[in-house]
Amino acid sequence: MSSAPTTQGPLVVGVDSSTQSTKVLVVDAPTGRVVARGQARHRVSTGERRESDPQEWWDALCTALEQCGQAAREASAVSIGGQQHGLVTLGKDGSPVRPALLWNDVRSALQARSLVERLGGAKVWADRVGSVPGPSFTVTKWAWLTEHEPASARATTAVRLPHDYLTERLTGLATTDRGDVSGTGWWASGPERYDEGILDMVGLDPALLPRVARPGETVGTVRGGGGLPFSKGTLVAPGTGDNAAAALGLGLRPGTPVLSLGTSGTVYAVSERRPADPTGTVAGFADARGAWLPLACTLNCTQAVDRVAELLHLNREAVDPGGSVTLLPYLDGERTPNLPHSSGVLHGLRHDTTPGQLLQAAYDGAVHSLLGALDLVLDADADRSTPLLLIGGGARGTAWQHTVQRLSGRPVQVPEAQELVALGAAAQAAGLLTEEDPSAIARRWDTARGPVLDPVERDEAALSRISGVLSDAAPLLDRAPHGE
């Protein structure tokens, strides 16, 4: 946690407030060198509910900053990257009305389907907000809340996203950014403003929402008090959602694909074209700079594979090649493909199937979902020989790397830099000081540097087998639980 012996300065702070923990980096703005870091966990409810107390995010931020010591006190600017989609409802005193509904809480699946129909279908949604809302989207969570907990909805005087909540605690001002707000379902991506027709449809007063800051804007300064180890007057950047922050952290140029292996799996790329996929596979998010970030997301990635390894009493790397077993690891509903009621499906189990083959099948099933969306995320004229950037908690796992190589047939680059969300937030904070594009800053920091794994022949047989099982099992996977 100690500072590096020498820094060029000034220092900036980048924050990654993710699903299960908050990470903080203090970074030397000219060089990108991390001079201090901190981390603290927060709790998430289990089962169908995926909720967290926003106060725990704040407490974790304070703890992680304290671990950074004097370096945090010397920082000139700070930016918050946060988990997307979460619904934070605040009352008159600024405290949460109830725990936040997180992105991977799929209880609003029925509301999502209803909202798509009420507005006129998937194409209308894609054209207006860039995405077809599934249960991850904030608009569906608000609709669920008004239906199931109307008293909580009535008591709400402010609606925020997770990163908005933390930024507001820093500055005292209600702001968000285009990257994160584009994942709510109530922001029109063409004119880039709140869609009052959609807000009226779900009964949400636009006065309850934060102002959408411009890229590169200073949204405020850190307030005095509160026990934070910042100097009063430290500049605060708009912040953004975690995927947009990671795109900043990689210094992404258009056409370079990213596959992120975390609790959720994501595949995305920067594009200069506003996306609008009526199938709902690709979310048409904005990035944090003024361009776009078409993205596909799965709910079941490293956590699902680790659970399978745990059930088999295997180390997560203990995979075996071969076999004909197929495992669709949709353990708690899935977003891509859109099967919110699904559970895991195992097909082709035989006497000679080894535990390692079963574990490999879990990897294959998770990666298959992501690669299926890769061509939809990339522009049609993108160079298919560009290495696929592999990031996230699973990216350094040999089994993950080999699975992505085998099923993509592309070269795979594994950046050495870790905590890319926090690095991207730090680059955004640095941009306040230099008035530069944060992506250009990250490229100067050389954050994407890392080994490139050569392409191997794509395993078409495995891809075809998994697609066939998914197609055949679709009616079973889409069946709602009894009682709905």
Side-chain angles (χ1 to χ4, degrees):
M1 304 297 178
S2 59
S3 295
T6 58
T7 60
Q8 296 182 21
L11 301 179
V12 293
V13 170
V15 177
D16 172 11
S17 181
S18 67
T19 312
Q20 300 184 48
S21 68
T22 295
K23 301 172 185 175
V24 169
L25 299 181
V26 183
V27 178
D28 185 42
T31 64
R33 185 170 63 245
V34 176
V35 300
R37 50 171 38 93
Q39 180 173 356
R41 296 187 64 80
H42 26 80
R43 291 171 294 179
V44 180
S45 60
T46 57
E48 186 184 37
R49 293 172 172 271
R50 289 291 191 273
E51 300 180 349
S52 284
D53 179 359
Q55 180 64 40
E56 288 198 19
W57 306 337
W58 178 254
D59 293 343
L61 174 61
C62 294
T63 298
L65 283 166
E66 283 293 344
Q67 292 170 7
C68 295
Q70 183 61 28
R73 293 176 176 82
E74 296 174 2
S76 299
V78 57
S79 174
I80 307 285
Q83 56 178 308
Q84 290 183 254
H85 301 307
L87 176 66
V88 180
T89 50
L90 305 177
K92 290 180 179 178
D93 63 352
S95 298
V97 169
R98 67 176 317 285
L101 293 165
L102 304 187
W103 60 274
N104 53 352
D105 186 310
V106 296
R107 283 177 288 173
S108 60
L110 290 177
Q111 287 73 26
R113 292 182 181 181
S114 174
L115 289 176
V116 170
E117 294 172 3
R118 286 171 63 189
L119 197 64
K123 187 177 187 304
V124 175
W125 276 97
D127 288 344
R128 277 174 71 161
V129 305
S131 304
V132 181
S136 293
F137 280 67
T138 324
V139 68
T140 72
K141 299 180 188 304
W142 175 258
W144 181 90
L145 189 71
T146 58
E147 182 176 336
H148 289 272
E149 298 181 12
S152 294
R154 287 193 299 271
T156 298
T157 60
V159 170
R160 302 289 183 262
L161 295 165
H163 114 259
D164 307 343
Y165 170 78
L166 293 173
T167 301
E168 188 171 358
R169 291 285 300 259
L170 290 175
T171 65
L173 302 170
T175 58
T176 189
D177 92 301
R178 68 191 297 272
D180 212 2
V181 78
S182 66
T184 59
W186 54 54
W187 184 77
S189 61
E192 300 205 17
R193 61 172 181 258
Y194 288 123
D195 190 311
E196 296 199 9
I198 292 173
L199 291 172
D200 184 63
M201 183 174 69
V202 298
L204 180 56
D205 184 347
L208 272 59
L209 299 175
R211 179 179 68 84
V212 183
R214 301 181 308 277
E217 178 184 344
T218 298
V219 298
T221 58
V222 174
R223 294 184 291 180
L228 287 175
F230 285 121
S231 301
K232 186 177 180 181
T234 300
L235 302 182
V236 181
T240 193
D242 50 6
N243 291 298
L248 291 182
L250 288 165
L252 273 194
R253 298 182 189 273
T256 299
V258 177
L259 197 155
S260 177
L261 302 169
T263 305
S264 65
T266 55
V267 59
Y268 56 86
V270 170
S271 176
E272 300 296 338
R273 303 167 189 163
R274 184 175 75 91
D277 175 17
T279 73
T281 301
V282 175
F285 296 146
D287 76 353
R289 299 168 44 257
W292 303 94
L293 197 72
L295 177 148
C297 176
T298 64
L299 299 183
N300 297 279
C301 193
T302 59
Q303 201 169 40
V305 170
D306 286 352
R307 178 59 179 147
V308 173
E310 182 183 24
L311 288 170
L312 296 169
H313 301 290
L314 291 178
N315 180 283
R316 70 183 63 164
E317 296 289 345
V319 295
D320 291 333
S324 58
V325 67
T326 299
L327 178 56
L328 305 178
Y330 309 156
L331 303 190
D332 290 304
E334 188 45 85
R335 169 171 165 174
T336 304
N338 184 25
L339 298 164
H341 302 301
S342 64
S343 55
V345 169
L346 178 63
H347 178 75
L349 187 65
R350 299 185 181 277
H351 275 291
D352 61 356
T353 302
T354 69
Q357 288 172 342
L358 196 55
L359 180 57
Q360 181 61 65
Y363 280 98
D364 287 0
V367 172
H368 173 272
S369 297
L370 289 164
L371 293 180
L374 182 60
D375 287 340
L376 294 173
V377 163
L378 287 167
D379 291 336
D381 56 358
D383 183 354
R384 284 345 193 226
S385 67
T386 302
L388 177 61
L389 294 179
L390 195 64
I391 66 170
R396 283 166 176 75
T398 301
W400 280 111
Q401 292 177 3
H402 289 173
T403 302
V404 173
Q405 274 184 289
R406 199 182 94 251
L407 296 185
S408 72
R410 298 179 68 120
V412 174
Q413 184 169 3
V414 184
E416 293 171 0
Q418 299 186 44
E419 292 122 2
L420 285 161
V421 173
L423 270 179
Q428 190 188 64
L432 297 185
L433 307 178
T434 63
E435 298 184 351
E436 287 180 274
D437 177 348
S439 288
I441 292 172
R443 288 193 290 271
R444 188 170 70 243
W445 293 350
D446 200 17
T447 53
R449 181 185 67 250
V452 178
L453 310 177
D454 292 333
V456 300
E457 184 177 358
R458 190 158 72 165
D459 190 344
E460 299 287 358
L463 292 167
S464 178
R465 186 181 72 250
I466 298 167
S467 294
V469 171
L470 175 57
S471 177
D472 291 344
L476 179 65
L477 288 164
D478 201 29
R479 186 180 301 164
H482 294 300
E484 290 196 12

